[in-house]
Amino acid sequence: MTRGGQAKQREDGPERKCIATGEVQPKNGLVRFVLGPDGQIVPDLAGKLPGRGLYVSADRAALDKAAAKGLFSRAMKQPVKVPEGLTELVEQMLARRVVDLISLARKSGEAVSGYEKVKAWLQTEEATVLIQAEDGSGRGKSKLSTPYGGRYIGWLTADELGMAFGRQTVIHAALGSGGLVPRIVEDAQRLKGMRVAGATADLGGRGRLKG
């Protein structure tokens, strides 16, 4: 971070400072907030809304602290309104964003679902990311392994994955190597910070590796 609070450019992208933890980290691991016209804090997951941005680590404890301790007002240097249930709102928005991105990947042929299709992609090394529903059977999920050097996403529900693939529920899915995949991995990691205790800043989460 340079003087004046401006971002410092690194190989893994620009950095921002979390107003809750004081840590400086790559922007893609944070959630941006702006002040709306009504004086209320608004999550800006895409990072495109106009106005001065405030950043909080994509972590449930950090967001809870920022909301409860008046840190948004302190950072803005003026009174602001914080919506009730801000942490839950951010979690829901992130989940929706990940689901929508996976749906787009499916439509472009870069995502498949179903045990047999996922297994085939893994065997042919077409898959770069293995996705499994957090509420799926542990025994069934253990039969598939994260691609070598790839990523694992395991904190979406079967219902959420179902929405991404136009089905009622989905347990197993995989992503190829299309242009949407890095965005899905980054946003899935931010969602992990909201749902998984002790989630790290490792993008996408390496998850479990079997074998």
Side-chain angles (χ1 to χ4, degrees):
M1 180 81 64
T2 60
R3 293 182 63 183
Q6 296 299 312
K8 183 174 68 176
Q9 196 74 25
R10 302 197 327 176
E11 290 184 1
D12 50 2
E15 295 180 327
R16 295 292 188 272
K17 184 176 181 179
C18 171
I19 65 171
T21 66
E23 295 178 353
V24 176
Q25 58 182 287
K27 188 172 68 172
N28 56 19
L30 299 153
V31 177
R32 182 177 189 259
F33 295 87
V34 297
L35 190 61
D38 59 352
Q40 181 165 279
I41 285 295
V42 178
D44 177 24
L45 301 185
K48 295 181 179 180
L49 293 178
R52 180 192 171 197
L54 301 178
Y55 292 83
V56 181
S57 298
D59 176 83
R60 177 169 291 273
L63 272 173
D64 284 343
K65 179 180 178 181
K69 302 292 186 180
L71 301 185
F72 288 106
S73 294
R74 183 184 302 175
M76 280 290 183
K77 299 181 180 178
Q78 67 181 82
V80 303
K81 303 174 188 175
V82 177
E84 186 175 351
L86 178 63
T87 302
E88 287 70 26
L89 173 63
V90 171
E91 179 185 342
Q92 292 168 9
M93 291 175 65
L94 279 170
R96 182 75 244 185
R97 184 174 171 85
V98 173
V99 166
D100 288 346
L101 286 171
I102 294 174
S103 179
L104 289 174
R106 171 182 64 84
K107 292 173 183 177
S108 65
E110 288 297 330
V112 295
S113 64
Y115 179 84
E116 293 299 333
K117 289 182 179 179
V118 172
K119 181 179 179 181
W121 270 34
L122 290 169
Q123 289 175 337
T124 59
E125 299 184 352
E126 188 170 355
T128 62
V129 180
L130 174 62
I131 308 174
Q132 294 182 310
E134 63 176 357
D135 49 349
S137 164
R139 180 178 179 183
K141 291 191 293 183
S142 68
K143 296 178 181 179
L144 298 175
S145 299
T146 302
Y148 179 77
R151 302 290 188 177
Y152 179 76
I153 297 172
W155 41 94
L156 290 165
T157 67
D159 288 342
E160 289 167 340
L161 280 177
M163 287 190 289
F165 288 92
R167 298 168 57 182
Q168 186 171 358
T169 59
V170 166
I171 303 299
H172 311 282
L175 303 176
S177 57
L180 286 171
V181 174
R183 289 172 58 191
I184 295 171
V185 168
E186 286 185 2
D187 283 325
Q189 175 62 22
R190 292 198 291 175
L191 179 61
K192 181 182 182 182
M194 307 301 298
R195 290 186 169 178
V196 181
T200 70
D202 179 33
L203 287 182
R206 297 192 184 277
R208 54 165 186 80
L209 294 174
K210 187 171 76 70

